[in-house]
């Protein structure tokens, strides 16, 4: 294997989260009754004219900025001609030689090694409808066409062939998804087809200058399959080259059940799309002012957020990674940290107790039974020494069960930590008097026995004493 180097370039389709379709006013809704969200434009009826959606363009601009691309002052829509039953116009309206934006990059990290992957271009296009193959019945094969998806705006993002392993491709796709989510371009729900990847894969001898002939694997709808498909394809290509064969340039599909890629069409059968400028749409002009107005409202993206978590909050790189896994987790964490006024403790609680809870209840962070403000308040109560850590661990499940604030639970269930030193001192004296053997052991140098004595005081205080204060008192009294 190490004789060869893997080369990968990805093409990612990302559904833009607009309210309406790109060239008509039909709502972009998922799961509506078939063909209920259609009109003459997205049905491709003759004579119907497209009108470009401003919101779609702005989302395309956001995607471009998130990917560090240069947005072109003028881009051109082009017809990409091909026949498919779920493409009634007979062409897709896409962009060709003058796309929305170009020359960007995404930074990724694999096993501690950072790397920059170039973005060739981002262009906009309309999605096709869906064919639903319903199988054989009543002595006929049925296929239904649902055009609700027809005209849904897509951004197609094309990377440079900069990735060198399936792990890098996985990291790239993951970061791409995060960027699109944080930039509020798309929810990127892969199960709803909001994000789809095509992987271009080739191998070459290490040190070779020219790229090898590539194979395109189409329509990978999960990152796990993306990685598995690339791994399979790399081995297949190396096998062919090692036995003296040549790679056929073709489009292949990944078969999830067999774990293999299979040929879909060869280069000879490739479509000639006969691209030409779309005569029904004017060139898309984006002024500096328009672009600046989008740049000004861009939300903070994961790279900047991770940096802030490291530098301002003093989190570890691993924690910053976990806490920027999704936009929701990141926002939740920031609200906990702000309420608690303690970013490190907030990170521990969110990554520990909260994530364990969500996992156990199979919930998203947006469905968390504990609000970030309540969790932050719990941490603040510990820091103000009103309760101790052990009590907090008892209060947290009560917050989950009742959605009550920690303050309410503390007051109602009598959780207040005893901060009155007089009261603690009395208990400490009692415990010392009741355990002469352990006190003797402590004084003779077996200092570990203090744990037993602290435990006895905590028990006598019903868990309400501050363990650190108890420790100090015991030490000073036995010195
Ligand atoms: P095509 O003409 O087949 O559309 P492009 O040059 O436009 O090919 O590239 C399409 C995608 O394939 C891009 O993501 C690019 O990075 C990737 N790519 C191009 N050549 C190779 C190669 N030899 N190996 C792997 N990926 C490649
Ligand atoms: Zn429509
Ligand atoms: Mg191309």
């Amino acid at each position: 294997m190490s004789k060869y180097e893997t080369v990968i370039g990805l093409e990612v389709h990302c559904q833009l989260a607009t309210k309406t379709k790109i060239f008509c006013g039909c709502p972009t809704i998922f799961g509506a009754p078939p063909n209920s969200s259609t009109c003459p434009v997205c049905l491709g009826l003759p004579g119907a004219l497209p009108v470009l959606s401003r919101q779609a363009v702005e989302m395309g601009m956001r995607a471009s900025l998130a990917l560090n691309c240069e947005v072109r002052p003028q881009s051109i829509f082009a017809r990409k001609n091909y026949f498919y039953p779920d493409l009634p116009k007979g062409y897709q309206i896409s962009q060709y030689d003058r796309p929305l934006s170009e020359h960007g990059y995404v930074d990724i990290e694999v096993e501690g090694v950072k790397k920059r992957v170039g973005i060739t271009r981002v262009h906009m296009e309309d999605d096709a409808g869906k064919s639903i193959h319903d199988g054989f019945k009543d002595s006929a094969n049925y296929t239904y066409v649902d055009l609700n998806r027809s005209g849904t705006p897509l951004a197609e993002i094309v990377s440079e062939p900069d990735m060198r392993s399936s792990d890098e491709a996985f990291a790239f796709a993951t970061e791409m998804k995060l960027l699109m989510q944080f930039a509020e371009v798309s929810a990127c729900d892969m199960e709803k087809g909001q994000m789809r990847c095509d992987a271009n894969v080739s191998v070459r001898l290490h040190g070779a200058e020219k790229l090898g002939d590539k194979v395109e694997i189409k329509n990978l709808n999960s990152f796990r399959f993306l990685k598995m498909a690339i791994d399979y394809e790399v081995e297949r290509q190396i096998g062919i080259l090692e036995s003296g064969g040549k790679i056929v340039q073709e489009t292949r599909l990944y078969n999830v059940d067999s774990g293999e890629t299979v040929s879909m069409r060869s280069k000879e059968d490739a479509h000639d799309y006969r691209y030409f400028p779309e005569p029904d749409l004017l060139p898309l002009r984006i002024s500096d002012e328009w672009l600046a107005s989008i740049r000004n409202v861009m939300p903070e993206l994961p790279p900047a957020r991770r940096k802030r978590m490291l530098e301002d909050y003093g989190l570890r790189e691993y924690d910053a990674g976990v806490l920027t896994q999704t936009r929701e987790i990141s926002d939740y964490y920031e609200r906990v940290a702000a309420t608690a006024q303690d970013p490190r403790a907030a990170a521990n609680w969110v990554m520990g107790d909260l994530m364990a809870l969500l996992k156990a209840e199979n919930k998203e962070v947006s469905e968390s039974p504990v609000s970030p403000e309540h969790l932050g308040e719990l941490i603040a109560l510990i820091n103000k020494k009103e309760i101790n850590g052990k009590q907090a661990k008892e209060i947290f499940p009560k917050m989950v069960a009742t959605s009550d604030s920690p303050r309410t639970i503390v007051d109602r269930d009598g959780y207040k930590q005893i901060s009155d030193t007089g009261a603690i001192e009395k208990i400490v004296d009692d415990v010392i008097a009741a355990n002469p053997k352990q006190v003797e052991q402590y004084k003779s140098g077996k200092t570990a026995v203090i744990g037993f004595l602290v435990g006895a005081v905590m028990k006598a205080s019903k868990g309400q004493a501050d363990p650190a204060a108890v420790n100090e008192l015991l030490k000073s009294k036995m010195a």
Side-chain angles (χ1 to χ4, degrees):
M1 288 275 288
S2 62
K3 220 169 114 184
Y4 292 90
E5 180 179 50
T6 302
V7 174
I8 304 158
L10 293 186
E11 292 165 278
V12 179
H13 281 94
C14 191
Q15 225 174 63
L16 303 174
T18 52
K19 292 202 173 64
T20 56
K21 296 183 180 183
I22 183 169
F23 298 123
C24 63
C26 294
T28 49
I29 34 176
F30 184 81
N35 300 306
S36 61
S37 188
T38 54
C39 74
V41 173
C42 56
L43 290 173
L45 300 187
L49 290 172
V51 178
L52 179 59
S53 151
R54 170 177 282 266
Q55 197 189 17
V57 175
E58 293 191 339
M59 294 222 171
M61 287 156 77
R62 295 171 89 99
S64 301
L65 292 174
L67 300 169
N68 306 293
C69 285
E70 295 162 20
V71 175
R72 295 177 63 102
Q74 177 170 302
S75 61
I76 304 287
F77 284 95
R79 284 193 186 177
K80 179 181 184 182
N81 299 281
Y82 61 100
F83 171 78
Y84 218 76
D86 53 26
L87 184 71
K89 296 199 296 305
Y91 56 87
Q92 245 181 315
I93 303 180
S94 182
Q95 295 185 307
Y96 186 53
D97 53 350
R98 275 171 285 176
L100 178 68
S101 66
E102 300 157 301
H103 313 308
Y105 63 85
V106 170
D107 289 329
I108 59 167
E109 187 175 329
V110 174
E111 283 169 13
V113 182
K114 293 186 175 25
K115 165 158 196 175
R116 180 160 287 185
V117 176
I119 300 292
T120 315
R121 54 191 268 145
V122 177
H123 67 250
M124 300 175 64
E125 60 187 24
D126 59 355
D127 206 349
K130 251 188 218 165
S131 295
I132 298 149
H133 305 289
D134 202 35
F136 193 77
K137 58 185 181 196
D138 309 330
S139 58
N141 259 317
Y142 284 82
T143 293
Y144 299 93
V145 174
D146 178 4
L147 294 173
N148 281 347
R149 198 179 68 181
S150 168
T152 301
L154 300 176
E156 178 171 340
I157 301 155
V158 183
S159 90
E160 292 289 305
D162 286 348
M163 287 157 275
R164 293 291 174 271
S165 66
S166 62
D167 286 330
E168 288 186 4
F170 187 93
F172 174 83
T174 306
E175 186 70 5
M176 169 76 59
K177 180 173 170 180
L178 271 187
L179 286 165
M180 293 304 108
Q181 287 176 337
F182 274 69
E184 291 161 12
V185 165
S186 175
C188 298
D189 185 338
M190 301 192 72
E191 277 169 24
K192 291 184 184 162
Q194 291 172 348
M195 193 177 175
R196 281 120 55 190
C197 296
D198 303 337
N200 297 273
V201 182
S202 67
V203 298
R204 63 177 168 185
L205 287 173
H206 266 292
E209 242 172 68
K210 255 186 81 206
L211 292 179
D213 288 334
K214 76 170 155 72
V215 161
E216 182 183 29
I217 312 166
K218 270 219 170 296
N219 273 331
L220 296 157
N221 60 2
S222 97
F223 295 162
R224 207 164 55 88
F225 294 153
L226 169 75
K227 184 171 151 48
M228 282 158 52
I230 293 170
D231 286 337
Y232 175 85
E233 184 57 27
V234 167
E235 281 203 35
R236 189 188 70 87
Q237 291 186 14
I238 291 173
I240 291 172
L241 294 177
E242 281 293 286
S243 57
K246 280 190 74 171
I247 304 302
V248 182
Q249 298 214 35
E250 61 182 353
T251 301
R252 298 176 74 87
L253 290 177
Y254 182 62
N255 182 321
V256 175
D257 298 321
S258 66
E260 297 171 349
T261 62
V262 287
S263 183
M264 182 175 122
R265 59 170 184 253
S266 74
K267 185 102 180 165
E268 285 78 64
D269 305 328
H271 295 296
D272 174 2
Y273 292 118
R274 294 176 295 116
Y275 278 100
F276 62 85
E278 166 61 61
D280 293 339
L281 288 166
L282 291 166
L284 169 61
R285 290 216 167 81
I286 295 176
S287 66
D288 292 346
E289 293 73 38
W290 193 11
L291 186 57
S293 74
I294 299 300
R295 207 186 284 280
N296 284 340
V297 296
M298 281 292 282
E300 185 183 38
L301 300 177
R305 203 173 268 211
R306 282 184 210 119
K307 191 158 172 276
R308 195 160 51 75
M309 286 180 178
L310 298 182
E311 290 172 4
D312 299 355
Y313 291 176
L315 301 190
R316 292 173 304 164
E317 230 171 281
Y318 172 80
D319 300 350
V322 173
L323 293 170
T324 47
Q325 253 171 28
T326 67
R327 172 86 193 254
E328 287 73 30
I329 289 176
S330 201
D331 289 347
Y332 185 100
Y333 162 71
E334 300 254 11
R335 284 163 63 188
V336 177
T339 312
Q341 290 293 306
D342 185 344
R344 302 264 290 261
N348 290 337
W349 275 91
V350 171
M351 291 169 59
D353 299 70
L354 184 86
M355 286 195 179
L357 166 78
L358 296 175
K359 193 164 172 229
E361 301 202 351
N362 198 17
K363 282 192 167 127
E364 299 293 325
V365 69
S366 58
E367 305 164 309
S368 169
V370 176
S371 74
E373 284 69 28
H374 282 176
L375 183 51
E377 193 185 316
L378 183 70
I379 297 166
L381 287 174
I382 304 170
N383 288 348
K384 281 188 274 181
K385 298 205 183 298
E386 289 195 31
I387 56 172
N388 60 44
K390 193 164 158 285
Q391 290 173 319
K393 297 277 174 191
E394 282 176 31
I395 294 168
F396 184 73
K398 297 191 179 186
M399 290 161 62
V400 174
T402 62
S403 295
D404 286 338
S405 79
R407 164 69 64 201
T408 307
I409 296 169
V410 164
D411 292 346
R412 187 188 61 210
D413 296 356
Y415 268 109
K416 273 218 181 315
Q417 173 165 281
I418 304 173
S419 42
D420 168 5
T421 34
I424 299 178
E425 209 174 335
K426 165 101 186 36
I427 301 174
V428 167
D429 287 340
D430 290 350
V431 165
I432 286 176
N435 296 283
K437 208 175 101 204
Q438 282 77 7
V439 173
E440 208 38 58
Q441 283 174 346
Y442 179 86
K443 287 184 173 164
S444 70
K446 289 186 183 163
T447 50
V449 77
I450 197 161
F452 169 82
L453 296 167
V454 172
V457 176
M458 291 306 292
K459 196 170 169 209
S461 78
K462 300 195 186 67
Q464 291 174 320
D466 172 4
V470 171
N471 210 304
E472 284 311 305
L473 261 176
L474 277 167
K475 273 188 194 161
S476 70
K477 285 190 184 275
M478 295 189 297

